[in-house]
Amino acid sequence: MKVAVLGGGESGVGAAILAKQKLFDVWLSDKGQIRAKYKNVLSNFGIGYEEGRHTEAKLLDADVIIKSPGIPDHLQLIKGLKDEGKEIISEIEWGYRFSKAEMVAITGSNGKTTTTNLIYDVFSKSGRDTGLAGNIGFSLAKQVAEKDRSNYVIEVSSFQLDGIKQFKPRVAVLLNITPDHLDRYDYDIHAYATSKMRICMNQDEEDFFIYNADDPIINDLIKQKEIKAKMIPISIKKEVDEGAFLNGELLNIKLNNNSLIMSIYELALKGKHNVYNSMAAAVASRVLEIKNETVRESLVSFKGIEHRLEHVARVDGIDFINDSKATNINSVWYALDSVEGNIVWIVGGVDKGNDYSELMELVENKVKAIVCLGKDNAKIVDAFKDKVVNIHESDSAEEAVRLAKLVGNAGDTVLLSPACASFDLFENYEDRGHQFKAAVRSL
């Protein structure tokens, strides 16, 4: 079989390695420049590649094409290949086809990285042979090639789900659906939500579908879809017969006549959004019969993830929090909601069509100053100039931190929660977060 891989990043190179290991005729193509570390890997495995172009004739010669999630389906090249009847799949689909593992897959507009890491932490503490994979930055296909695990905990994006055919997780988790990446879905929230629902499309009666019962879009979709898996709701607004819910300040996990009850104040991850994440992680672990004690231990001790509401330091009584991963409005809403006291908010970057009106009430009540961090801050300034008098502009993490420190007082929190993509001033959100932390530590 001839395999062509589109995209020379983590997922593409991982897919190519698996194809090579299975003795297929594999070739990789990237329209941009492939990073040196990935070129070295491809060369070491004897995998042919090209960069700076896509040779369509070679793609048309392939039996299967594995496409990076970063490449949109609406590109003429992709449309043309589909018109020719070519099978185009994602890397998680490719990895799944060659794995015997039991898989837990997590998706949602917000919280999926935190929830994925938390479930992985529970599985690791339980002693299960588990891999962490997917949108979180680790190639599933590469791990399957190197040493297939007994379990995988996989963060999956809508882009990855668009490219699945057979992918069938034993446990699927859908956390929430809010507007994000709508430019890839013709600005149609229903199309985006439908992509998210693909996570359970191949599941059967032996599988589990965990979903946020408080999300109106998810509830509407459930009514429209035939879901064969056992459906387990999580809610902070109402009691459920089986699943997870809040009763006052008590988190209740009820499954198979077995209960785990703990105070939300015991949870390591704070904030309302993290109650959902903790619920989802607990239910996903319990349906696969991980002990209550192990689940509780992780929920109490989990350290969180870098760049997501990460406490960096306290300087002269001012707390600095790195939430660089918050690249959409909904993520920022959760961040602003979770922080106590006055906030100096660092926001900005490449706008993805944000509607800042959703943040107005929180900004008016909690934000004392705004520091814009981006090349073009006009939309942010215009949106909040009537709510926040103290607005500054900066074009580096160092300057943003310095300005935030100047306008902050003891007891305040400086929150980097950008609501925007990072690539105007930074390589990615990780680079933005690292530069922010370095600037704070140099104060």
Side-chain angles (χ1 to χ4, degrees):
M1 185 165 72
K2 290 184 178 179
V3 177
V5 179
L6 282 174
E10 176 72 17
S11 67
V13 171
I17 290 170
L18 180 56
K20 186 71 173 181
Q21 191 230 20
K22 298 300 177 184
L23 304 179
F24 298 134
D25 181 357
V26 58
W27 170 79
L28 182 145
S29 174
D30 195 310
K31 194 171 185 180
Q33 297 301 303
I34 301 172
R35 291 167 65 182
K37 71 171 185 177
Y38 291 130
K39 285 184 184 179
N40 291 337
V41 171
L42 293 168
S43 296
N44 288 339
F45 277 92
I47 297 168
Y49 65 88
E50 68 174 359
E51 57 184 343
R53 66 187 183 279
H54 292 311
T55 302
E56 192 168 349
K58 292 198 73 169
L59 294 169
L60 287 168
D61 193 40
D63 297 299
V64 62
I65 297 168
I66 304 159
K67 179 177 74 68
S68 163
I71 300 173
D73 287 332
H74 60 69
L75 289 185
Q76 195 55 50
L77 172 68
I78 305 302
K79 286 182 176 179
L81 291 169
K82 286 183 176 179
D83 288 344
E84 291 292 330
K86 291 298 171 184
E87 183 181 31
I88 302 177
I89 62 173
S90 62
E91 177 258 335
I92 60 163
E93 169 71 16
W94 184 243
Y96 173 82
R97 292 183 182 185
F98 297 98
S99 175
K100 296 179 180 178
E102 195 164 63
M103 298 186 180
V104 180
I106 303 94
T107 197
S109 301
N110 296 291
K112 56 185 177 291
T113 302
T114 297
T115 305
T116 301
N117 275 280
L118 182 50
I119 295 172
Y120 176 71
D121 187 71
V122 178
F123 274 62
S124 298
K125 282 185 168 65
S126 75
R128 298 195 180 192
D129 176 37
T130 307
L132 181 66
N135 194 54
I136 207 162
F138 303 106
S139 166
L140 173 64
K142 182 172 182 284
Q143 293 180 65
V144 172
E146 290 175 342
K147 178 187 176 295
D148 196 18
R149 304 278 194 158
S150 301
N151 303 268
Y152 288 103
V153 181
I154 311 167
E155 177 187 329
V156 288
S157 69
S158 58
F159 303 159
Q160 289 168 315
L161 290 168
D162 286 335
I164 65 169
K165 300 285 179 67
Q166 302 168 21
F167 182 71
K168 177 181 173 292
R170 180 77 195 287
V171 181
V173 179
L174 179 54
L175 294 168
N176 46 59
I177 296 174
T178 59
D180 195 18
H181 302 298
L182 293 190
D183 53 328
R184 286 275 290 261
Y185 297 95
D186 296 322
Y187 297 93
D188 180 355
I189 185 73
H190 181 76
Y192 167 65
T194 299
S195 282
K196 290 291 191 188
M197 283 296 292
R198 289 173 63 84
I199 195 169
C200 62
M201 72 179 192
N202 294 318
Q203 288 188 300
D204 59 33
E205 293 80 2
E206 300 297 314
D207 302 319
F208 301 93
F209 176 56
I210 300 164
Y211 68 97
N212 182 343
D214 300 334
D215 189 299
I217 298 177
I218 293 175
N219 285 326
D220 286 344
L221 280 170
I222 284 171
K223 294 171 188 173
Q224 299 168 24
K225 304 287 182 182
E226 182 187 356
I227 298 171
K228 295 180 181 177
K230 182 173 182 179
M231 296 171 59
I232 305 179
I234 61 174
S235 172
I236 66 171
K237 296 180 178 179
K238 59 191 177 188
E239 185 170 339
V240 299
D241 293 332
E242 189 170 32
F245 64 93
L246 272 188
N247 182 5
E249 296 170 354
L250 294 178
L251 173 62
N252 291 257
I253 312 296
K254 288 174 60 177
L255 290 165
N256 300 324
N257 298 314
N258 185 293
S259 293
L260 168 61
I261 300 174
M262 58 191 296
S263 168
I264 58 172
Y265 298 111
E266 293 180 75
L267 299 176
L269 299 174
K270 306 303 179 186
K272 182 167 63 179
H273 60 297
N274 277 322
V275 175
Y276 284 115
N277 297 339
S278 298
M279 283 178 169
V283 173
S285 303
R286 288 292 299 123
V287 296
L288 295 182
E289 300 181 351
I290 292 178
K291 293 179 180 177
N292 278 345
E293 295 76 15
T294 306
V295 174
R296 180 189 290 273
E297 181 186 353
S298 279
L299 295 187
V300 170
S301 65
F302 184 64
K303 298 298 184 186
I305 61 171
E306 191 176 20
H307 312 299
R308 192 69 185 100
L309 289 170
E310 175 191 11
H311 188 271
V312 180
R314 177 173 290 173
V315 181
D316 296 336
I318 302 172
D319 286 309
F320 288 80
I321 293 178
N322 168 28
D323 194 40
S324 183
K325 199 173 190 300
T327 59
N328 62 48
I329 292 294
N330 198 248
S331 291
V332 174
W333 191 97
Y334 283 128
L336 293 171
D337 184 55
S338 69
V339 173
E340 301 293 332
N342 292 327
I343 297 170
V344 179
W345 178 29
I346 301 177
V347 56
V350 179
D351 188 280
K352 298 192 290 184
N354 289 340
D355 177 5
Y356 291 106
S357 64
E358 298 173 40
L359 302 175
M360 286 302 172
E361 185 177 351
L362 276 170
V363 169
E364 191 171 15
N365 293 332
K366 303 185 78 169
V367 174
K368 66 178 284 186
I370 289 174
V371 177
C372 300
L373 176 57
K375 287 185 176 179
D376 182 3
N377 305 305
K379 185 175 176 180
I380 295 167
V381 173
D382 188 58
F384 297 108
K385 64 186 178 184
D386 295 331
K387 303 293 182 185
V388 180
V389 175
N390 203 347
I391 299 179
H392 301 270
E393 296 192 59
S394 66
D395 60 7
S396 71
E398 187 176 21
E399 184 183 12
V401 166
R402 182 180 58 80
L403 286 168
K405 173 73 163 51
L406 281 174
V407 299
N409 297 310
D412 293 346
T413 296
V414 173
L415 172 68
L416 169 67
S417 195
C420 299
S422 57
F423 50 81
D424 57 341
L425 296 173
F426 308 96
E427 287 185 16
N428 46 43
Y429 77 82
E430 291 103 329
D431 179 40
R432 177 169 57 193
H434 289 142
Q435 289 196 36
F436 172 78
K437 291 195 289 185
V440 171
R441 288 165 181 155
S442 69
L443 287 174

